[in-house]
Each structure stands twice: as C-alpha cells, then as structure tokens.
Amino acid sequence: DTTVKQNPRYKLARVGKPVNLICSQTMNHDTMYWYQKKPNQAPKLLLFYYDKILNREADTFEKFQSSRPNNSFCSLYIGSAGLEYSAMYLCASSSPWDEQYFGPGTRLTVL
Amino acid sequence: SQWGEENLQALSIQEGEDVTMNCSYKTYTTVVHWYRQDSGRGPALIILIRSNEREKRSGRLRATLDTSSQSSSLSITAAQCEDTAVYFCATVAGGADRLTFGKGTQLIIQP
C-alpha cells in the first residue's frame, strides 16, 4: 500500500485561529514532508522530518510548526492563520533517495 | 529561484498528437523528476532521469536531460484524453530529501 492519507481534505479557518492538519503513511518511510501549493505556483517545501529530526525551510521557519509522534503520523500546525495561508497543503513521504509519495492534499481556506 | 522562466503555464492539444513540455533549472542537480497531478489528487512520479542519462523512456513517455544547458523535457507520444493533468518537473537541490518543483504545465487533451 503506497497510500498517504491526509485529514481533513477541506478546512475552513478564521483569521487568527489555529489550524492543525494531519498526515499518515503506512509504508514505514523515514521521511515525511509538507508542501504548500497555491494556484499557478509550484509546490513549495515547508518542512520535513527525517525520522525524529525536523528540518524547516528558512523562509517559512516561523510560520509553521510540525510534530511527528510516531513513524506513521505527521502534523502541520499554524498557530494563527492569516489570509495568505489559504492554499493546498500536500504531505509526502519517502525512503532515502527514493521517490516521494504524495497524499491528496488538504485545501485550506482562511476567511 | 531555482527555475528559469521558460516553463509553459497551459497547453492544449488534440488527442493523438505528440506534445513536449520543457523546463530549465539554475542549480546543479543529479536527477530530474517529472510528476503528474490529476485533479483532486497529489502529484505522482511518472519518470525520473539521472545526470548520467540523456534520455529515458517509459511507455509513451520520454524524458531528456541536458546538463550542459540545465534543461529537461518530457514528451508524450500520441496523447490521450487521460493524459490531461498538470505536469511538474522537480530537481534535487540542497540535499537528497529536498525536491524543488517548477511551476508546472497544465496539459489539456481535447477529444
């Protein structure tokens, strides 16, 4: 099973409120990633976990948090949503040097 | 930016025609991935080409890589309606786990 699951598929949030997105995989992959994708833009890597080590991209360092309580689950947390956070959030997982398997995404709309 | 400005945004062709999508990149990479994203789903790897390969084929897909010009192409032979999707190229930059995506091409195959 090469499925990466994301919950919820659609999320509506109010400006200033927190948002928590969930991702899971059962492939025992070492690495799990979060990307942000806006219309007509490339998916942008936000952060990734290699095992228990979190790596956050420099330009999004303060905007997103994440946790990985076990190998299968990874969350993406926004402490205070702004309008600019409206986007599709894609989770992916992989083994080292292997292809990344993507989930279907969570469409976040901030109002 | 990792990417040049030559990436097409949208391409519409008739069923049965051949099509080529191009991308160029600015930073050294050892591999170019091509992903396909269908509506409502996450990106899925369809072909990858390494720096020691000039051409790679998979079914009706053909990828090329020119490391001297830092460009790659994806060709689809005899396009079918089910080829309608967004196609992204991605390079490995800044470490084995970091994929940097191009903006993508929306390919529409008209019946």
Side-chain angles (χ1 to χ4, degrees):
Chain A
D1 182 11
T2 57
T3 302
V4 176
K5 297 181 180 178
Q6 293 189 239
N7 287 297
R9 293 293 307 276
Y10 300 91
K11 176 72 177 177
L12 192 62
R14 296 292 181 186
V15 170
K17 297 298 184 182
V19 175
N20 197 44
L21 308 179
I22 303 294
C23 177
S24 66
Q25 52 90 12
T26 55
M27 296 172 277
N28 201 32
H29 283 163
D30 294 311
T31 311
M32 295 185 74
Y33 312 78
W34 282 100
Y35 292 83
Q36 180 191 66
K37 187 180 182 317
K38 295 187 176 182
N40 299 319
Q41 294 185 20
K44 175 182 170 58
L45 180 64
L46 300 176
L47 54 87
F48 66 94
Y49 264 99
Y50 175 70
D51 195 13
K52 295 182 174 62
I53 301 171
L54 175 61
N55 298 270
R56 287 186 286 179
E57 296 299 283
D59 57 347
T60 56
F61 189 86
E62 296 179 347
K63 296 183 178 181
F64 299 93
Q65 296 287 337
S66 183
S67 67
R68 191 176 186 185
N70 56 55
N71 177 267
S72 300
F73 288 86
C74 188
S75 67
L76 181 70
Y77 181 76
I78 301 167
S80 177
L83 296 176
E84 70 277 14
Y85 286 88
S86 290
M88 175 72 79
Y89 289 87
L90 296 165
C91 176
S93 70
S94 74
S95 294
W97 297 100
D98 201 359
E99 70 176 280
Q100 294 185 21
Y101 293 87
F102 283 82
T106 295
R107 184 172 297 281
L108 173 65
T109 302
V110 182
L111 301 174
Chain B
S1 167
Q2 159 73 343
W3 296 98
E5 300 300 320
E6 301 94 297
N7 293 354
L8 293 174
Q9 295 299 304
L11 197 54
S12 180
I13 63 169
Q14 296 296 126
E15 194 171 23
E17 293 182 344
D18 299 340
V19 62
T20 298
M21 293 165 276
N22 299 299
C23 70
S24 60
Y25 53 92
K26 296 180 179 178
T27 307
Y28 172 79
T29 187
T30 57
V31 61
V32 173
H33 297 230
W34 283 91
Y35 279 80
R36 164 190 174 138
Q37 185 171 17
D38 295 290
S39 180
R41 305 185 72 171
L45 181 70
I46 54 175
I47 194 168
L48 69 82
I49 183 166
R50 301 189 185 279
S51 57
N52 61 351
E53 301 172 305
R54 291 188 61 84
E55 179 181 294
K56 186 82 167 284
R57 291 180 184 268
S58 177
R60 293 185 294 108
L61 304 177
R62 173 177 171 261
T64 67
L65 178 58
D66 184 343
T67 55
S68 62
S69 64
Q70 294 189 298
S71 63
S72 178
S73 71
L74 174 70
S75 298
I76 303 176
T77 301
Q80 301 170 5
C81 289
E82 52 264 36
D83 295 326
T84 293
V86 178
Y87 292 82
F88 296 98
C89 51
T91 60
V92 176
D97 295 319
R98 279 187 168 84
L99 280 182
T100 302
F101 283 85
K103 288 185 180 179
T105 299
Q106 169 69 67
L107 179 64
I108 299 170
I109 311 301
Q110 308 270 12

